[in-house]
Amino acid sequence: MSDAVLTAIRSSVLVVLPEIEPEQVTEEVSLTDLGANSIDRVDVVTMTMDTLGISLSVTEFTDVHDIGSLARLLRRHTP
Amino acid sequence: MGYGIEGLNVYTGLAQIPVPELFAGRGLEHERLANLAMTHRSIGLPFEDPVTNAVNAAKPLVDALDPADREAVEVLITSTESGLDLSKSVASYVHEYLGLSRNCRVFEAKQACFRGDRRAQLATGYLASGASPGAKALVVATDVALVDARAGYAEPATGHGAAAVLLSDRPTVLELDLGAFGLYSYETLDSARPTPEFDIADVDRSLFAYLDCLTNSFADYRTRVEGADFLGTFDRLAMHTPFSGLVKAAHRKLMREAGASPAQAEEDFERRVRPSLAYPAQVGNLCSGSVYLALASLLATDPVDAALRIGLYSYGSGCSAEFFSGVAGPASAEAVRAMDIGGHLAGRRRLAFDEYTALLPENLRTLVPVENRTVDVDRYARYLPGDRTLLVHTRTKDYHRMYEWR
């Protein structure tokens, strides 16, 4: 829970969904579970990629279904 | 000599339902209304189809031309994701009912919502080529909605209607910046219409692709336009508007990428983007005509007291996108306001939720090819306005669609 990718995801979630507590952002939950609507979800993903300095195509996200699978995808592309 | 949009009109249908009423009727979560930021949604009627919408949008522009100028329309393009036949184009009917010259190129183009814009760019390139001095091109982006309860939150966001754009060397409404454009396209299945009766959509994929294409098409624009920057080059912005919340997110993303703070982005949004959202919030996603509804909204509701450079973004699922720009001024606003789009929006008949759901079975058959069918126009005649004549679909005979003026 302390790697750069998860930290970046957590920071983005806290900006987009200020009512969420940091400890609620775990690999086991989805953004929808945290109350994110469609815009919130895409905001979290794009802000996290900005933070990490990476850019992925939409086709890469096919298997993303929760924060854990998002983190695994981003880790594979983070230098 | 400048080239671009001489005339712009949008047809937004004859009926509407307040979006909060649709949310209540479907049991959708009320707190998500803010994300959509919509007040009303235009609803089609059984006598409307992509042809009637297109003709009813373009007719006021064509009628305003003198006979010689009407003869000069030598390109007619319909842009739609609501095709009526795998071979015969919507444009062939539109050409007939607009009474355009037979010395005219007529065809239909498809790329989901990436609509009229590309067609307009290509047609403008043709006009500017000098191949036919004085020629005009008419591009009509026309669609109908195929959504019901199955569409979830896309149902209240989906609009109905058409946008007509007349292009020429007299660009009263918008002089396009020739050569100033940015492109971005790749294959993805974010939304589609696999049959004539329903749409499919992957919301997350679609939103991501829309934002991804905005960043990348603007990056391409910057490679072609020296010194262009998102913060300073454009006085106003008009974007393809699936719903206002997405446009706001898109603007916020480009502001962030340009180094602006969240507070700056908020102020900038109100000034540069908000005027483009007034009409879309009352209509819903006009699909292939969406960016022109946003442009019409901007020019009709913003003071436009000086020349303004406008950045435009168009996106079509599947996906293909373009960022381009042009210059409008007070005369542009005057020309668009003369179409009284706002008056027609206000004049739409309000539907109760049960009236809306009663229309759906017939509306969802609008695009289904059948050999013979009769539309009971009189049953819905109370929706027709008394102050203008409109084209209505009356029947289909031997697969041939028939229309009348009412």
Side-chain angles (χ1 to χ4, degrees):
Chain A
M1 295 296 292
S2 60
D3 66 288
V5 168
L6 197 63
T7 302
I9 294 173
R10 182 175 289 134
S11 302
S12 304
V13 170
L14 298 181
V15 170
V16 175
L17 304 169
E19 67 279 12
I20 294 295
E21 297 296 332
E23 56 273 18
Q24 288 176 267
V25 186
T26 67
E27 299 218 9
E28 289 69 40
V29 298
S30 71
L31 293 171
T32 306
D33 294 336
L34 295 175
N37 65 31
S38 55
I39 293 292
D40 298 333
R41 295 195 293 272
V42 76
D43 266 349
V44 167
V45 172
T46 54
M47 284 174 70
T48 305
M49 289 198 298
D50 285 351
T51 304
L52 298 171
I54 59 176
S55 175
L56 297 182
S57 156
V58 62
T59 51
E60 304 266 2
F61 288 85
T62 307
D63 296 325
V64 171
H65 55 274
D66 58 13
I67 289 175
S69 49
L70 174 63
R72 286 192 289 280
L73 171 69
L74 297 179
R75 278 185 203 115
R76 282 205 300 276
H77 294 274
T78 302
Chain B
M1 184 184 288
Y3 295 88
I5 301 175
E6 175 179 336
L8 166 64
N9 188 35
V10 187
Y11 175 77
T12 56
L14 301 171
Q16 52 89 1
I17 185 168
V19 168
E21 203 160 310
L22 183 50
F23 263 63
R26 290 291 187 214
L28 300 174
E29 292 172 27
H30 190 76
E31 56 268 29
R32 291 179 66 172
L33 253 178
N35 191 28
L36 283 187
M38 283 181 53
T39 58
H40 302 83
R41 202 198 131 192
S42 284
I43 306 296
L45 296 166
F47 59 68
E48 294 185 301
D49 73 3
V51 173
T52 65
N53 286 349
V55 170
N56 292 328
K59 187 77 166 34
L61 299 178
V62 173
D63 284 352
L65 297 174
D66 65 35
D69 281 342
R70 200 174 303 181
E71 285 293 309
V73 178
E74 58 182 56
V75 180
L76 168 67
I77 308 172
T78 55
S79 168
T80 185
E81 55 187 273
S82 310
L84 294 172
D85 185 284
L86 292 173
S87 169
K88 183 174 171 60
S89 73
V90 167
S92 62
Y93 289 111
V94 174
H95 176 258
E96 166 67 17
Y97 289 97
L98 287 177
L100 295 175
S101 164
R102 292 197 169 193
N103 302 121
C104 183
R105 289 188 183 86
V106 174
F107 63 97
E108 173 177 317
K110 167 170 70 182
Q111 179 44 54
C113 295
F114 179 59
R115 52 195 152 252
D117 321 333
R118 185 76 279 240
R119 261 52 75 188
Q121 287 280 26
L122 292 175
T124 304
Y126 166 72
L127 300 179
S129 73
S132 183
K136 297 179 192 296
L138 181 61
V139 177
V140 192
T142 180
D143 276 300
V144 297
L146 295 184
V147 289
D148 57 12
R150 293 172 295 183
Y153 288 90
E155 186 186 18
T158 306
H160 163 91
V165 177
L166 182 68
L167 302 157
S168 75
D169 57 5
R170 294 195 297 231
T172 307
V173 172
L174 187 77
E175 181 172 344
L176 287 168
D177 295 328
L178 289 182
F181 59 88
L183 309 172
Y184 203 68
S185 307
Y186 55 88
E187 196 282 324
T188 186
L189 187 68
D190 56 339
S191 80
R193 183 167 279 179
T195 86
E197 291 177 283
F198 69 94
D199 296 335
I200 55 170
D202 179 330
V203 174
D204 284 343
R205 183 178 291 234
S206 191
L207 268 51
F208 189 100
Y210 176 99
L211 297 176
D212 183 31
C213 283
L214 174 58
T215 292
N216 285 291
S217 62
F218 184 63
D220 189 46
Y221 181 97
R222 291 184 67 188
T223 67
R224 299 171 200 267
V225 183
E226 197 179 342
D229 100 276
F230 188 71
L231 298 179
T233 301
F234 313 103
D235 301 296
R236 299 289 184 275
L237 297 158
M239 303 195 208
H240 172 53
T241 307
F243 58 100
S244 298
L246 180 56
V247 172
K248 188 161 190 182
H251 169 264
R252 194 164 60 227
K253 182 171 190 282
L254 258 68
M255 291 295 287
R256 196 168 61 230
E257 288 167 0
S261 70
Q264 270 178 297
E266 191 67 35
E267 180 279 324
D268 189 86
F269 178 80
E270 293 301 323
R271 184 172 55 83
R272 290 202 297 168
V273 184
R274 177 71 74 189
S276 72
L277 299 177
Y279 290 171
Q282 299 176 59
V283 175
N285 183 359
L286 205 54
C287 301
S288 55
S290 176
V291 82
Y292 289 115
L293 180 64
L295 178 62
S297 176
L298 161 58
L299 293 174
T301 66
D302 190 280
V304 196
D305 43 20
L308 302 173
R309 171 153 281 110
I310 301 173
L312 299 112
Y313 173 57
S314 85
Y315 170 81
S317 290
C319 61
S320 185
E322 178 159 355
F323 192 98
F324 59 109
S325 60
V327 176
S332 314
E334 193 181 329
V336 171
R337 285 169 196 164
M339 293 290 141
D340 196 23
I341 299 164
H344 295 151
L345 281 171
R348 291 170 300 174
R349 195 180 172 101
R350 177 184 171 141
L351 294 170
F353 181 69
D354 59 343
E355 291 178 295
Y356 162 66
T357 54
L359 286 172
L360 283 179
E362 200 166 356
N363 279 356
L364 294 176
R365 288 173 47 216
T366 303
L367 304 181
V368 178
V370 290
E371 190 171 351
N372 292 291
R373 176 178 171 227
T374 301
V375 180
D376 187 355
V377 178
D378 288 333
R379 188 175 167 199
Y380 303 101
R382 64 184 183 281
Y383 290 93
L384 288 164
D387 59 348
R388 55 193 166 131
T389 303
L390 296 172
L391 192 71
V392 298
H393 175 40
T394 53
R395 64 183 178 135
T396 300
K397 182 173 181 293
D398 300 330
Y399 294 109
H400 194 198
R401 289 196 174 221
M402 307 285 174
Y403 299 90
E404 283 178 14
W405 294 100
R406 293 286 288 261

